[in-house]
Structure formats: C-alpha cells, structure tokens
C-alpha cells in the first residue's frame, strides 16, 4: 500500500457542480433539499475515519428504488457519481480527474504497482449512497483493485482494508509484507503478511485483510515471476564476475533501493528474500 495526500476538495463544491448539471429541475430541487442529510453523512465520515472506525457507519440496505433521504432514491444518489461526475462531458469530471491525479506517477495506492484508471469508493456507493461523491471516499485505483474489493463491507474494525488517505504512519514506515523463495525450477516466490508484534490486534488483522481483499499474494507472485525471469541474465553476469558475492551485492543494492522507496512493496520483499537465500544466490537464479 502507498500513502496518498488526502484530497483538499470541498464536498459542497462537488455536490453543487453535480446538481447544476442535472437537467430535471425536480430532481435538482429534491437533491438540494437533502443538504442536511448529506452534511450529516459527511460529518459522520470525517469523525469515524479519524479513528479508523468507518465500519461503524450504518450501511443502507434498501434497493435502488428505495428512498434514502427526503424524496431521493439510492439509484439517484449513485447516479450523482455515475451520471454527473464520471462522464467526460460533465463539469464535475474535473474533480474526478483531480482525484485521479493524487496518485504519484499514476500508481495504484492499494497494490502499489497497477496503473490508476478509475476511482474506488472506499465505502461502496451501493451501501453508502450519501457518500457516492465525497472526495475522501474516492481513491485513485487500478481496475484490478477496484473490481477485487467491491464485494463485501467491513463489519468490524479488523476487517477494514487500508485507506491510502488516512492509514499512514506505521502502515507505511514499518514492514509487514514479506516473501519466501521456493526452491523450485525455476524459483518461485510466495508472499505473506507478518505485522510487527507490537501492533494492536486490529492493525495486525487489517494488513492481512488488505492483502486478501486485493488478492495480493497471487498478483504480487505474477509480478515477481516476471522479475525473476529478467533477473536471470543480469545475475549470471554478476555471478561470472564475482560468484555468490557478486550476486549478493547486486541483490543488496536492489533491496536497498526498493526499501528506501516503498518498504511494503512486492519488490522490497522479493529482493530481501532472494538476498537471504543461499540456494538462489549460488545458482538457484538460473
Ligand atoms: Zn491496484
């Protein structure tokens, strides 16, 4: 996971821009009329996210045509996003683009390697329709992470995956992602999570949940497989120059560079475990 600077966009600006682009006057009026409910939902989100308690927000369990607030249905609230923020021709698309650009180098913060192509609702709009266009609930994401996570919602603190805007500090600065080398031919890599023991139980569970939600064991494994195949030629050169020491020095450098950029990246875990494997360094890389 990579941290992202939280958006500075004002919710009311985004809402008003979406409402102004609605041609049906009745719908615009009805949406404006539920301003208090919008504000309550936003204030509740702000209060809960500060303590990582978003799971406490009650989901809406009704169908698309059921009323959420005033005379406004779930379908109409979801439509604020899909019909008035996402389409290229809508004025609120500018906010959509601004949010996407929050991810440095367009790299997905959830997996740390995918290309950002969409926005992910941290709390899904189907269950939290009043938060469908709240900037803090919209996170730049790659297509795989966006699709992977949409299924369920957290009902306890420990079931919450990491939120790139709000879960920073120790989730970023302390290592919880590791890998091991399987001595197969060719070598394969297995990723796993091991949170620091001094973390509280919820935080330990949350990094595991994040790993599961985004199918990272499988997806990191694919990245590692490609990397191993390109490392082969490079390490052969290092081996011929200085045997095992040459290979270790090359891997040490890669592990150092990767860790200084992102401690919990698939690359850091990969190079660390390769470096620690005498089997790999003495010829397993072939
Ligand atoms: Zn991703």
């Amino acid at each position: 996971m990579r941290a992202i600077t939280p958006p500075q966009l004002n919710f009311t600006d985004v809402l008003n821009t979406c409402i102004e682009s609605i041609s049906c006057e009745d719908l615009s009026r009805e949406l404006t009329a539920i301003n208090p409910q919008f504000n309550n939902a936003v204030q509740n989100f702000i209060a809960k996210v500060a303590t990582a308690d978003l799971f406490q927000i009650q989901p809406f369990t009704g169908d698309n045509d059921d009323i959420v607030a005033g005379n406004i249905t779930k379908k109409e609230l979801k439509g604020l996003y899909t019909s008035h923020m996402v389409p290229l021709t809508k004025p609120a698309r500018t906010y959509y683009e601004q949010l996407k650009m929050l991810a440095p180098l367009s790299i997905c913060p959830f997996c740390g390697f995918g290309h950002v192509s969409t926005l992910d609702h941290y709390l899904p709009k189907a269950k939290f329709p009043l938060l469908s266009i709240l900037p803090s609930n919209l996170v730049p994401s790659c297509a795989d992470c966006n699709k992977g996570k949409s299924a369920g919602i957290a009902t306890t603190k420990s079931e919450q995956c990491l939120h790139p805007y709000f879960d920073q500090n120790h989730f970023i600065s302390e290592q919880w992602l590791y890998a091991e080398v399987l001595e197969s031919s060719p070598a394969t890599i297995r990723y796993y999570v091991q949170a620091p023991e001094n973390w509280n139980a919820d935080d330990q569970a949350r990094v595991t949940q994040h790993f599961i939600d985004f199918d990272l064991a499988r997806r990191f494994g694919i990245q590692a497989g490609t990397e191993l195949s390109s490392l082969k030629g490079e390490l052969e050169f290092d081996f011929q120059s200085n045997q095992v020491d040459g290979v270790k020095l090359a891997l040490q450098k890669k592990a150092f560079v990767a860790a200084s950029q992102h401690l919990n990246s698939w690359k850091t875990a990969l190079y660390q475990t390769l470096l620690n494997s005498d089997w790999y360094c003495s010829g397993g890389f072939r």
Side-chain angles (χ1 to χ4, degrees), residues 108-114 141-146 219:
C108 172
F110 293 112
C111 60
F113 68 88
S141 168
C142 72
D144 285 342
C145 286
N146 183 239
R219 294 172 62 212

Side-chain angles (χ1 to χ4, degrees), residues 16 23 77 79 84 113 117 140 142 170-171 173-174 202 207 214 225 240 250-251 258:
N16 289 343
S23 53
L77 288 171
H84 301 283
F113 68 88
S117 62
C142 72
H170 60 293
F171 290 115
S173 64
E174 294 180 43
D202 285 329
V207 283
F214 296 103
Q240 285 182 16
L251 290 171

Side-chain angles (χ1 to χ4, degrees), residues 4 10 15 20 24 52 127 134 171 174 179 209 258 264 279:
I4 297 192
N10 181 289
L15 176 63
E20 281 163 19
C24 171
K127 300 278 170 56
L134 173 65
F171 290 115
E174 294 180 43
Q209 190 68 46
N264 292 300
W279 170 83

Side-chain angles (χ1 to χ4, degrees), residues 178-182 188-192 251 255 266-278 280-281:
Y178 296 89
E180 66 173 346
V181 184
L182 305 181
T188 46
I189 302 297
R190 186 186 75 86
Y191 282 89
Y192 62 96
L251 290 171
W266 68 269
K267 278 188 179 176
T268 302
L270 171 67
Y271 297 136
Q272 283 176 344
T273 192
L274 294 180
L275 176 61
N276 290 328
S277 165
D278 290 337
Y280 182 81
C281 293

